[in-house]
Amino acid sequence: MLCIKNGVVIDGISSKPYKADILIDKGKVIDVRENIEISGAEVIDATGKWVLPGLVDAHCHLREPGYEYKEDISSGTRSAAAGGFTSVACMANTNPIIDNAAMVNYIKSMAMAKGVVKVHPIAAVTKGQKGEELTEMGELKEAGAVALSDDGKPIMNSQLMRLALQYAKGLDMLVISHCEDLSLVGDGVMNEGYMSTVLGLKGITRAAEEVMVARDIILAETLDAPIHIAHVSTRGSVEVIRQAKRRGVKVTCETAPHYFSATDAWVDGYDANTKVNPPLRTDDDVEAIKEGLKDGTIDIIATDHAPHHRDDKEVEYSLAANGISGFETAFSLAYTNLVETGILSMVELVQKMSKRPAEILNIDAGTIQVGKFADIIVVDLDKEYTVDVSKFYSKGKNSPFHGHTLKGRVIYTIVDGRVVVKDGQVIL
Amino acid sequence: MALKRKDLLGLRGLSRVEIEEILTTAEEMKSLLLSGSKESSLLQNKSVVTLFYENSTRTRFSFEFAAKYLGAHTASVAVSSSSVAKGESLIDTGKTIQSMGVDVIVIRHPMSGAPHLLAKHVSASVINAGDGINEHPTQALLDMFTMKEKKGAIDGLRVAIIGDILHSRVARSNIWGLTTMGAEVRVAGPPTLMPPDIDKMGVKVFYKVEEAIKDADVVMGLRLQKERQQKGLLPSLREYTRLFGITEERIRLAAKDALIMHPGPVNRGVEIASELVDGEQSVINQQVTNGVAVRMALLYLLMGRNQDAVY
Ligand SMILES: [Zn+2]
């Protein structure tokens, strides 16, 4: 038995934090109330700390199989745990692509064998993510895929996207769309605007994202099918989604911490750690993302954890790979830039990083309740620290936040009642 | 006298004092050249390598002559851009060159920011000889040197830059340098070849070439890459010449003694009328001579750097 004592609890359901002890046995929460006294239980003293449901990431890249030099399930789930995530949904753009039941099973068995947090595979929408033929979605669902996405690549063919939404709807499966019109992207490598002009780097217009967000919403609306928009980064996208929600379209969306924490001004100096897709945008977009998070237009915060080897980043900006190693900074960035600044309350942050992502992916997680899995984290909100990529558990040391001081740190991560992170260190 | 910096990566961020220093030193270098002395020992025992990932015979020769006239050892490394795509690391190449005892690496590269990456990883001085669509600082310095030589000063000059601003590293470097030195810079070209928010760099933007040229003291044409048409950025070269070509008729709108400049090589009859290239107002050939003087100045100033240089 494990007892987390004296912490401030946000359970994901109650509208307010409260003081309580949490008793865990056989992987489940068995009691939540003040002053639980049980002899023989291992005790975590959470005095002065906050106790939250384990974070749920609806969008990450674990790179296994195929790119184990960038990350694998072992390092990736340890990185996730260090960041406070107890469940993560990994994208299908591995090599081979997760586009058949055998691959879904492979990910699940590797996660069982080597992982320290729960891994939920997202399968591809189209075979080989080629955007040509639909995958066997029914079989993928039976195998355990929690959603469908060709993330990394847009589905450029509108008819195929329409059919995907239609077919997936019949199976109660969610399609997650990577919105990017490739003809508008061209050979762009950063946000198009003053900074791309100054740096002489080819720009990517915001419209490249926004026209696809609009297209996908229109398709979902005509079919009355659900759609989830990945990594929203622009003011225009937020506005299109806001209007769609008002009309009752079944659209949900996510943003990633870098889209409310950094701008294209960070590209100055050509550090490829600032290269992401979609690209870092402007102050105005950051403002809009925050507004969208505050008014609920943006449902959740996902990491889009995209680890890369340094050889893929220490190159000319145009050649560098896209992506930030995101697990280990996500909570601190969200706390520092959203809660400390008064945009979200802690209860709202927990909604966006635990409860809602679990609901959107339809997985049993995201709350602290008697009878449920004991996926719990303990965080110290007063803890200030400087991001040091060399200390990342992830193999990917690619973060533009290296050297930045952030507030709020994960101290304990508990998965199914088992302590994975203790005093900020992964112990499994 | 020295530039207090390790590298020259662009004119962005260069101070007025630094630019003046380079231009003044270039005057001395030019007199040295004109005196017929091509055997100075100012850079004796120094080594300069030109590392070109893009063909540019004229820029490469200009740097190599500049280095040789100052007594430095030179070598050139030509790398095909295809080896960049093959993943041969720029950093590795730079470190290898540095291990051979090289003091200055002059780099030309098809990707913006490549010299910045190299500079971060080698202790040798890095000079940007053109990176992607970002900057071509020595070209702009020689343009400014030519303007100063002909007009006496840069402050207050009205300079019109005409053409494909979007893809022009020459335009960007000139904008940084000229605005720092107090010139009024106007840019003109088709909207599809104009970078976004360029007005925030302190220039006036025109889509009618006549308006940009009116009363200008300097009219600078830019080379138009013919592939732009295939990419849909232009309907046709013919229409481009009609709307944006620097013609004899249009040049009459400029100040009487306006200079006509072009970084070369010129597409005669496309961006600029052939008669103007060879005409009295053209300083296109002087630009080439001045290029050597400016590069001599720069090599000298960077090599003369002392301990308090910024690394
Ligand atoms: Zn994506």
Side-chain angles (χ1 to χ4, degrees):
Chain A
M1 283 205 282
L2 178 65
C3 192
I4 306 168
K5 291 189 69 71
N6 307 319
V8 181
V9 176
I10 296 176
D11 60 20
I13 298 162
S14 313
S15 58
K16 279 194 182 132
Y18 51 89
K19 273 208 120 163
D21 298 348
I22 295 168
L23 190 63
I24 296 161
D25 190 32
K26 298 190 179 72
K28 301 259 171 100
V29 174
I30 59 166
D31 201 0
V32 181
R33 66 181 158 84
E34 272 191 272
N35 301 321
I36 299 175
E37 293 299 339
I38 291 234
S39 57
E42 186 191 336
V43 172
I44 290 173
D45 181 12
T47 308
K49 314 280 194 296
W50 293 58
V51 182
L52 317 174
L55 307 179
V56 177
D57 190 11
H59 186 154
C60 71
H61 301 270
L62 296 179
R63 304 298 187 206
E64 182 173 354
Y67 307 100
E68 287 86 350
Y69 69 102
K70 293 174 191 267
E71 189 89 289
D72 57 33
I73 288 171
S74 171
S75 64
T77 55
R78 277 165 180 79
S79 173
F85 294 89
T86 52
S87 294
V88 301
C90 57
M91 287 296 176
N93 61 342
T94 49
N95 184 16
I97 305 271
I98 308 175
D99 63 357
N100 59 70
M103 282 298 296
V104 173
N105 285 323
Y106 174 81
I107 301 291
K108 284 171 56 184
S109 64
M110 288 310 278
M112 285 295 234
K114 306 195 307 174
V116 297
V117 307
K118 296 168 185 176
V119 176
H120 301 275
I122 294 171
V125 177
T126 67
K127 288 177 188 156
Q129 290 192 328
K130 290 201 180 98
E132 290 162 5
E133 288 174 81
L134 298 183
T135 51
E136 291 160 330
M137 297 177 180
E139 200 169 300
L140 288 164
K141 183 172 182 174
E142 280 166 26
V146 290
L148 299 160
S149 182
D150 274 3
D151 184 62
K153 287 180 176 173
I155 295 168
M156 287 297 291
N157 182 326
S158 302
Q159 167 65 353
L160 192 70
M161 185 62 173
R162 183 168 187 272
L163 293 170
L165 288 166
Q166 203 169 19
Y167 193 86
K169 184 192 173 189
L171 294 166
D172 263 332
M173 282 193 94
L174 180 67
V175 174
I176 301 174
S177 178
H178 168 112
C179 289
E180 186 184 18
D181 182 323
L182 295 178
S183 65
L184 285 170
V185 171
D187 46 9
V189 296
M190 70 173 289
N191 181 55
E192 180 182 272
Y194 176 66
M195 279 314 292
S196 66
T197 294
V198 163
L199 296 171
L201 289 170
K202 288 279 178 66
I204 301 171
T205 169
R206 292 171 185 76
E209 175 175 321
E210 293 159 2
V211 298
M212 290 295 260
V213 171
R215 180 200 75 170
D216 287 351
I217 282 175
I218 290 165
L219 292 174
E221 187 169 15
T222 56
L223 297 165
D224 194 29
I227 186 154
H228 181 79
I229 310 290
H231 42 56
V232 168
S233 75
T234 78
R235 177 174 288 279
S237 296
V238 173
E239 189 49 38
V240 169
I241 294 163
R242 184 178 286 130
Q243 288 171 15
K245 286 192 163 184
R246 279 189 197 137
R247 292 198 302 276
V249 182
K250 291 172 184 155
V251 56
T252 54
C253 72
E254 72 196 30
T255 192
H258 38 278
Y259 299 118
F260 56 73
S261 306
T263 66
D264 60 357
W266 291 39
V267 181
D268 201 355
Y270 303 93
D271 177 0
N273 288 318
T274 61
K275 194 176 174 195
V276 269
N277 186 21
L280 297 176
R281 307 289 187 179
T282 65
D283 281 326
D284 181 60
D285 295 293
V286 166
E287 202 48 48
I289 295 295
K290 289 178 177 171
E291 287 162 16
L293 283 163
K294 192 178 174 72
D295 74 7
T297 302
I298 300 177
D299 301 83
I300 62 172
I301 297 164
T303 64
D304 197 359
H305 175 74
H308 288 292
H309 190 265
R310 57 188 286 237
D311 289 352
D312 298 317
K313 282 290 194 183
E314 280 192 357
V315 292
E316 295 84 338
Y317 201 87
S318 305
L319 294 177
N322 284 307
I324 290 170
S325 183
F327 282 144
E328 289 165 74
T329 51
F331 178 78
S332 307
L333 286 169
Y335 179 72
T336 306
N337 295 315
L338 301 175
V339 179
E340 284 265 292
T341 53
I343 290 156
L344 297 182
S345 68
M346 272 306 288
V347 169
E348 289 166 326
L349 186 72
V350 167
Q351 290 287 321
K352 291 194 189 293
M353 295 189 81
S354 298
K355 178 138 181 290
R356 286 289 290 143
E359 282 170 357
I360 287 168
L361 295 176
N362 195 21
I363 58 178
D364 191 7
T367 59
I368 298 174
Q369 281 186 78
V370 172
K372 295 278 190 185
F373 294 119
D375 294 344
I376 294 171
I377 59 173
V378 179
V379 298
D380 181 349
L381 298 182
D382 298 321
K383 174 90 178 167
E384 268 194 352
Y385 72 103
T386 303
V387 177
D388 179 355
V389 294
S390 72
K391 303 227 166 79
F392 276 8
Y393 289 92
S394 171
K395 290 185 188 176
K397 312 297 179 193
N398 47 304
S399 170
F401 304 106
H402 176 70
H404 287 246
T405 300
L406 300 177
K407 212 171 164 188
R409 189 140 210 202
V410 177
I411 309 295
Y412 281 90
T413 301
I414 297 159
V415 182
D416 283 346
R418 194 165 68 148
V419 177
V420 177
V421 173
K422 183 183 178 185
D423 298 327
Q425 306 294 314
V426 177
I427 56 169
L428 283 183
Chain B
M1 285 297 199
L3 282 178
K4 287 197 188 348
R5 52 176 70 234
K6 174 170 97 67
D7 314 294
L8 183 80
L9 303 177
L11 294 194
R12 177 178 176 224
L14 227 61
S15 68
R16 191 169 177 138
V17 174
E18 286 174 298
I19 293 173
E20 269 162 5
E21 170 90 44
I22 297 167
L23 298 182
T24 310
T25 312
E27 275 172 42
E28 293 162 28
M29 295 298 170
K30 188 163 181 182
S31 358
L32 197 72
L33 269 180
L34 294 178
S35 75
S37 161
K38 290 172 187 157
E39 284 180 34
S40 156
S41 56
L42 288 169
L43 292 191
Q44 211 179 16
N45 299 325
K46 298 285 183 189
S47 296
V48 177
V49 158
T50 54
L51 174 61
F52 274 44
Y53 287 82
E54 238 180 31
N55 248 331
S56 173
T57 314
R58 54 164 73 204
T59 303
R60 186 166 62 81
F61 278 173
S62 182
F63 271 106
E64 286 174 8
F65 282 127
K68 280 182 181 141
Y69 294 163
L70 293 175
H73 304 287
T74 64
S76 63
V77 182
V79 196
S80 71
S81 342
S82 64
S83 61
V84 177
K86 263 188 250 150
E88 280 176 29
S89 154
L90 173 63
I91 297 169
D92 288 347
T93 306
K95 285 185 172 160
T96 306
I97 292 173
Q98 172 160 291
S99 307
M100 296 175 183
V102 169
D103 304 287
V104 183
I105 302 175
V106 177
I107 178 172
R108 157 76 57 111
H109 199 285
M111 290 169 197
S112 302
H116 303 70
L117 180 71
L118 179 66
K120 253 181 251 169
H121 289 90
V122 297
S123 56
S125 286
V126 174
I127 298 178
N128 181 359
D131 63 326
I133 57 170
N134 180 39
E135 284 221 44
H136 192 353
T138 56
Q139 175 69 40
L141 285 166
L142 74 88
D143 291 339
M144 288 157 70
F145 180 80
T146 310
M147 290 177 211
K148 192 179 168 202
E149 192 177 45
K150 298 286 173 185
K151 294 289 177 188
I154 294 170
D155 214 328
L157 282 184
R158 281 176 291 238
V159 181
I161 307 176
I162 316 291
D164 180 359
I165 310 294
L166 179 61
H167 299 95
S168 176
R169 50 198 177 203
V170 174
R172 272 187 186 71
S173 280
N174 266 297
I175 290 168
W176 293 123
L178 288 165
T179 52
T180 301
M181 297 304 285
E184 175 192 309
V185 182
R186 305 156 173 189
V187 293
T192 48
L193 294 177
M194 196 61 75
D197 296 332
I198 191 168
D199 53 308
K200 290 188 196 154
M201 285 172 73
V203 303
K204 293 184 181 172
V205 181
F206 297 92
Y207 300 110
K208 290 202 171 64
V209 70
E210 291 82 2
E211 291 171 7
I213 290 181
K214 191 168 185 323
D215 299 325
D217 300 298
V218 177
V219 177
M220 185 184 295
L222 299 173
R223 183 172 170 81
L224 184 78
Q225 302 284 326
K226 294 179 181 168
E227 309 87 75
R228 304 294 174 225
Q229 191 187 334
Q230 279 125 46
K231 288 195 174 161
L233 294 163
L234 290 171
S236 71
L237 291 183
R238 182 172 161 269
E239 170 146 315
Y240 178 83
T241 305
R242 265 173 75 114
L243 295 182
F244 299 99
I246 302 171
T247 59
E248 288 181 281
E249 192 190 348
R250 285 182 176 134
I251 212 74
R252 275 181 226 123
L253 298 167
K256 248 199 184 75
D257 52 352
L259 305 178
I260 295 174
M261 303 180 82
H262 192 291
V266 180
N267 291 310
R268 286 172 181 260
V270 179
E271 64 256 7
I272 184 164
S274 204
E275 292 72 17
L276 292 176
V277 175
D278 305 319
E280 292 192 329
Q281 288 169 271
S282 166
V283 293
I284 295 171
N285 286 328
Q286 281 114 303
Q287 284 176 266
V288 177
T289 313
N290 291 340
V292 178
V294 161
R295 288 168 180 127
M296 287 167 78
L298 203 56
L299 287 169
Y300 171 65
L301 290 170
L302 284 178
M303 283 301 86
R305 72 189 147 94
N306 43 32
Q307 279 82 345
D308 47 323
V310 181
Y311 282 90

